[in-house]
Amino acid sequence: MLRQIRKTPAVCGAVALGAALLLAPTGTAVADPVRVLGYVANNGGGVSVLDTATNAVTSTLIDSNGDSPYGVGVAFDGTRGYVTNVRDDTLTIIDTPTNTVDASVPVGDGPAGVVVSPSGGHVYVSNYLAGTVSVVDAATTTTTETIPVGANADGIAITPNGKRLYVAHDVAGPGTVSVVDTTTNAKIADIPTGNTPTAVAVTPDGAKLVVVNKLSNNVSVVDTTSNAVIGTVPVSFIPHGVAISPDGTRAYVTNSEGHSLSVVDITTLTPVARIPVGSRPISVSLTPDGAKAYVTNFNSGTVSIVDTTTLSVVTSIPVGVSPVGIAIHAVPPAPTELTAGHAQLQLRLLGFTARGLDATLTESHTGKPVAGKQITFRTTKGHPLCTATTNAYGKAQCDANVPLLVGLATLLQGYTASHPGDLTHGRSVAHGSIGLL
């Protein structure tokens, strides 16, 4: 598949990146609200961002440094996403809450698959033409090591404990999946599978590996303790991508020339269903709750949405040209910062007027102003003063009439400005000063 995709011309000479991520537990009793977004890497250019609540494309990410995005990788630290650029031999890193590009990291020749360690500390990229895996340090955003694995390194997966890495080799004839020890960053085994393995996925408990055998029209299920194939399940014509349900019982396999999505019972090693989707489906990703499967259709330029209970297509969404990789995950709100200003206190007959209460809201990561958000102003003891909405510059400003009973001493202690947080931007608080006119 990679060799075919590399020949697809880029749009306007600039192509984009994309990713998504899984929200990490905060350790607090009250979690921030989250969005569940889908990121679709279009081989013809750009990454479409889907809001799974509305099943609408909300934006398209463009990066002039990325060329022909191949697959979408998912970070587990809640803040980063990764995508391979197959012509540029780079890995692009984005801050997913703000959808901004952080870095473009050189990797090997023909990067295809990408996976992130459970800790988020390292990113592993399979380099199709080089036959290697690049190890990228997520903190320094540099490639620190290269692991030889063998020809046509394609799909890649990692165990939940981060100790083993699996790399499929998209070669004609009987194929293998390499096993890499991530402690030593060395290949320790090759698992014989079917013909031309192209994609791999590990069950959530780490006990089984599902391998898509493109030219055998089946999937192999491997015991990860023994590295032995324990069963083979037929699917349809030229399978390509795979995703596993959150409970680990089912695998969803795209059939690129069968124009369908196969559902496989991993426990009983039997086929469950075959669902017609769009033309030439490539990749599949599930929502965190497993209720929906999203399938990229390369020829149709669409994403099919499958209800995993009824095993039927709910709808299809137009995306970019030649969609390939996809990831669906919860994305946390972008952290924000509030900066409060200085208000002036004017005495009046029955109280006070605090003039020029103001605060400016910005994204912590980018420093960009955040418009259209409500800011609440209160005294330091919690008495409400006024509310205002941030303008295009992120600034909210209002005046407040305050009764005498609040007290001059309280007002001269200053005020607090607060943004409560929402799906796109996190909560923040700042302290401002109040002085007498």
Side-chain angles (χ1 to χ4, degrees), residues 2 6 86-87 89 107-112 126-132 134:
L2 176 62
R6 283 173 64 91
V86 70
R87 290 195 188 96
D89 299 337
V107 287
D109 191 4
S126 60
N127 302 303
Y128 191 95
L129 296 179
T132 61
S134 295

Side-chain angles (χ1 to χ4, degrees), residues 73-355:
V74 179
F76 291 87
D77 59 1
T79 58
R80 277 182 167 178
Y82 302 86
V83 66
T84 53
N85 299 301
V86 70
R87 290 195 188 96
D88 281 356
D89 299 337
T90 59
L91 175 74
T92 306
I93 303 175
I94 64 170
D95 176 78
T96 48
T98 60
N99 286 333
T100 55
V101 177
D102 279 351
S104 183
V105 182
V107 287
D109 191 4
V114 57
V115 70
V116 184
S117 64
S119 68
H122 292 93
V123 186
Y124 301 92
V125 177
S126 60
N127 302 303
Y128 191 95
L129 296 179
T132 61
V133 170
S134 295
V135 182
V136 177
D137 186 300
T140 63
T141 63
T142 57
T143 297
T144 58
E145 196 166 350
T146 300
I147 309 168
V149 291
N152 298 5
D154 198 0
I156 190 168
I158 196 167
T159 53
N161 63 12
K163 293 182 178 181
R164 293 288 185 270
L165 195 69
Y166 300 94
V167 184
H169 296 281
D170 181 32
V171 295
T176 60
V177 172
S178 293
V179 185
V180 174
D181 184 327
T182 58
T183 303
T184 61
N185 282 337
K187 185 172 77 169
I188 58 174
D190 282 310
I191 306 170
T193 60
N195 289 344
T196 318
T198 188
V200 285
V202 182
T203 55
D205 62 3
K208 295 175 182 176
L209 173 74
V210 178
V211 182
V212 176
N213 301 308
K214 185 167 63 177
L215 297 186
S216 291
N217 298 328
N218 61 29
V219 296
S220 299
V221 179
V222 177
D223 182 294
T224 56
T225 300
S226 63
N227 285 337
V229 174
I230 59 175
T232 301
V233 185
V235 286
S236 187
F237 193 43
I238 314 297
H240 196 279
V242 60
I244 295 177
S245 61
D247 63 5
T249 62
R250 286 183 170 183
Y252 296 82
V253 181
T254 58
N255 303 299
S256 63
E257 299 303 326
H259 313 301
S260 60
L261 179 71
S262 286
V263 184
V264 172
D265 189 309
I266 301 173
T267 304
T268 62
L269 302 175
T270 56
V272 174
R274 188 181 301 166
I275 307 161
V277 289
S279 178
R280 201 181 180 195
I282 300 297
S283 298
V284 57
S285 184
L286 301 177
T287 51
D289 61 4
K292 298 288 191 297
Y294 286 66
V295 179
T296 59
N297 302 306
F298 189 86
N299 290 344
S300 301
T302 62
V303 169
S304 296
I305 303 172
V306 175
D307 185 307
T308 58
T309 300
T310 64
L311 299 180
S312 61
V313 173
V314 176
T315 188
S316 293
I317 306 170
V319 286
V321 176
S322 305
V324 183
I326 184 169
I328 309 284
H329 280 280
V331 176
T336 60
E337 293 180 1
L338 263 180
T339 303
H342 177 78
Q344 292 183 317
L345 193 64
Q346 180 179 0
L347 299 177
R348 55 188 182 87
L349 183 62
L350 298 177
F352 312 92
T353 298
R355 299 192 180 279

